[in-house]
Amino acid sequence: MTSYINIKKLKRLALVLGNQLFPIYQQNIDKSTTIFMCEDHGLCTYEKHHKSNIALFFMAMRSYRDQLTETGYKIKYIDCNQDFKIPYINKLENFIKSGGYTEIEFYEIEDKNFEKEIFVLIKKLNLKYHEQKSLMFMDNRESFKNFCAEKKFLLQANYYKKNRKEFNFLVEDNKPALFLQIFKRLPFSKIELIIIGILFSLASDTAEASITFKSFDKTSIYVNDLYLFAFL
């Protein structure tokens, strides 16, 4: 047993990543748990991002941090002014050791390389962990794994059809809804479909601190849906 763990007092830490700014009322994190958030240099530099895009992400994260604090959560937030070039995983490890944390919880991580780093750290520090289902998607990993089983190649259109039926989305009597049948015959260009997706997204957003990310997530969903609808 490593010396920095106090077995008499278990302490839990929750990770909230920059793409996991879910509505606070949906957060399934106990208020006795400390939340760790960090602006990551690696995420900003693994590809060449526009400075405005990076600023947008950081502003959304800081706004979300403020709302969590106002709601009563305990937050450890490391911004870009604090040892920015030190890797996220190193900062997390140092904070866990200094705080004597013995448990960690987090939502499913889409970045497989980063997910692997987290599990390596968990094993290294002998931490208990709890992985929660991501709130980003209606579908789950197990369902997608079953969909991919024994397929030589994947078609996104087939995956959308499967989920529309399972979630009864734009489906009537197990067939595409009338709206969908009409819509896919309209002569929209790709640009027009993107504009429609953005308008739908903005019209359905609520005044959450995470509105920035919700807008981007929903826009991408609508754009994919509407684009695919034209060919289904």
Side-chain angles (χ1 to χ4, degrees):
M1 181 70 70
T2 45
S3 59
Y4 55 84
I5 293 181
N6 181 355
I7 60 175
K8 293 182 179 180
K9 184 178 180 181
L10 299 179
K11 296 180 66 177
R12 178 177 292 183
L13 184 69
L15 306 183
V16 173
L17 305 181
N19 65 337
Q20 297 176 338
L21 309 184
F22 308 126
I24 292 178
Y25 67 86
Q26 292 183 344
Q27 283 287 4
N28 189 25
I29 300 175
D30 191 272
K31 290 189 177 180
S32 64
T33 299
T34 300
I35 295 177
F36 182 89
M37 299 180 69
C38 179
E39 297 173 6
D40 181 33
H41 179 267
L43 188 63
C44 297
T45 57
Y46 78 99
E47 288 184 1
K48 189 173 182 180
H49 297 289
H50 194 285
K51 292 180 180 178
S52 297
N53 191 29
I54 295 173
L56 178 67
F57 272 72
F58 286 175
M59 289 173 64
M61 290 177 66
R62 294 177 187 185
S63 175
Y64 194 74
R65 170 203 61 193
D66 294 342
Q67 280 211 19
L68 286 171
T69 302
E70 292 171 1
T71 310
Y73 287 97
K74 296 180 294 184
I75 311 294
K76 171 61 179 177
Y77 191 95
I78 303 177
D79 63 29
C80 59
N81 298 308
Q82 306 174 57
D83 300 318
F84 189 43
K85 292 188 177 182
I86 295 178
Y88 178 103
I89 206 73
N90 291 11
K91 294 177 185 175
L92 176 60
E93 180 177 355
N94 292 337
F95 184 70
I96 290 174
K97 289 181 176 179
S98 63
Y101 292 95
T102 58
E103 299 181 56
I104 188 170
E105 64 176 282
F106 51 91
Y107 291 100
E108 292 170 335
I109 300 172
E110 288 69 43
D111 185 324
K112 303 307 290 185
N113 291 329
F114 184 65
E115 180 186 53
K116 183 178 180 180
E117 290 183 3
I118 292 294
F119 280 111
V120 169
L121 180 63
I122 288 172
K123 184 176 181 180
K124 176 181 178 181
L125 300 182
N126 192 28
L127 300 171
K128 294 182 179 180
Y129 75 92
H130 175 58
E131 184 179 33
Q132 297 193 48
K133 181 182 179 297
S134 175
L135 300 180
M136 288 187 190
F137 311 105
M138 296 175 68
D139 204 10
N140 57 58
R141 290 185 175 184
E142 189 63 29
S143 171
F144 183 71
K145 182 179 179 180
N146 293 336
F147 171 78
C148 297
E150 300 180 359
K151 287 184 172 65
K152 293 183 178 180
F153 59 92
L154 302 176
L155 293 177
Q156 190 177 21
N158 290 340
Y159 182 66
Y160 271 66
K161 286 180 180 178
K162 176 188 82 73
N163 283 332
R164 284 209 317 276
K165 291 179 179 179
E166 286 185 4
F167 297 109
N168 196 31
F169 179 68
L170 292 179
V171 173
E172 295 175 357
D173 297 326
N174 209 33
K175 297 179 181 179
L178 180 60
F179 163 79
L180 177 55
Q181 296 180 44
I182 295 174
F183 182 86
K184 68 181 182 181
R185 289 174 172 78
L186 297 178
F188 289 122
S189 68
K190 293 180 181 179
I191 296 298
E192 289 171 327
L193 289 173
I194 291 174
I195 293 174
I196 293 172
I198 293 173
L199 292 176
F200 279 7
S201 170
L202 295 177
S204 60
D205 273 323
T206 56
E208 294 284 346
S210 54
I211 186 170
T212 302
F213 280 95
K214 289 176 65 183
S215 298
F216 275 90
D217 290 343
K218 287 188 177 181
T219 299
S220 63
I221 291 170
Y222 276 120
V223 170
N224 285 333
D225 283 347
L226 294 174
Y227 180 76
L228 284 169
F229 286 171
F231 298 97
L232 297 181

